[in-house]
Amino acid sequence: GVFRAQDYLGAQGHFGIGSDSNVLLDPAEELRQLEYSQRITHHARNILVTAADHSTGRTLFDAALRGGMRALGVTAVGFTAGAPADIVSLDGAHAALAARQHDAMLDSWIFAAGRTAIDCVWRRGNKLVSGGRHVQRAGIAARYAKTLQGLLA
């Protein structure tokens, strides 16, 4: 039969998102693709929402968070002294996020702004992205161009 993500999630199924061999790194895009594939397959909108007080973005985000935590063996979300701090912040001045709060912020990030709204990223407490740009972007781009030139020569 046809895959129904709603049935899968309702049966306590898990999924996670993340990069594999794809060069496009955009968690919002991966969540958006899941929702759109279900929308097209079932000719209906918002079919993944499992709770009346949750939006589609909240449902997708929470499910991906739970699945990712399970895959990584993480048991709790939150801040604990001594634990690694992996944090992503969104740019509150981004046009797609203007005047958004709570679930509407997640919906706007996933379905409108995508990766362009990511402001900062911290990995294990180290700030790697600031103002939407990797802190070592110039060096990474230069090494990439040099490597590509060597491969294509």
Side-chain angles (χ1 to χ4, degrees):
V2 176
F3 173 73
R4 290 185 50 89
Q6 183 179 24
D7 295 341
Y8 180 75
L9 293 174
Q12 304 306 310
H14 293 85
F15 73 87
I17 60 169
S19 63
D20 48 15
S21 61
N22 191 341
V23 296
L24 177 64
L25 303 176
D26 189 340
E29 175 66 20
E30 292 188 35
L31 295 173
R32 184 171 49 248
Q33 280 185 342
L34 174 58
E35 199 282 331
Y36 284 173
S37 71
Q38 293 298 289
R39 180 185 296 191
I40 290 168
T41 301
H42 303 291
H43 307 287
R45 296 174 57 105
N46 303 320
I47 64 171
L48 297 176
V49 175
T50 55
D53 62 338
H54 287 151
S55 70
T56 300
R58 166 64 61 194
T59 301
L60 289 166
F61 182 83
D62 287 352
L65 182 62
R66 283 191 307 273
M69 288 173 54
R70 181 175 175 168
L72 295 171
V74 175
T75 57
V77 174
F79 297 102
T80 305
D86 296 338
I87 303 166
V88 174
S89 66
L90 299 177
D91 178 4
H94 191 285
L97 305 180
R100 302 288 192 225
Q101 296 179 26
H102 311 292
D103 284 7
M105 179 71 76
L106 285 173
D107 288 342
S108 295
W109 171 58
I110 294 168
F111 296 108
R115 68 181 174 177
T116 64
I118 294 177
D119 182 36
C120 299
V121 176
W122 291 263
R123 174 72 176 120
R124 298 192 177 277
N126 298 308
K127 194 173 193 179
L128 300 178
V129 174
S130 182
R133 300 271 185 193
H134 194 284
V135 296
Q136 297 178 5
R137 180 182 176 94
I140 292 168
R143 287 191 307 277
Y144 175 79
K146 184 177 180 180
T147 301
L148 192 57
Q149 287 172 347
L151 290 171
L152 298 176

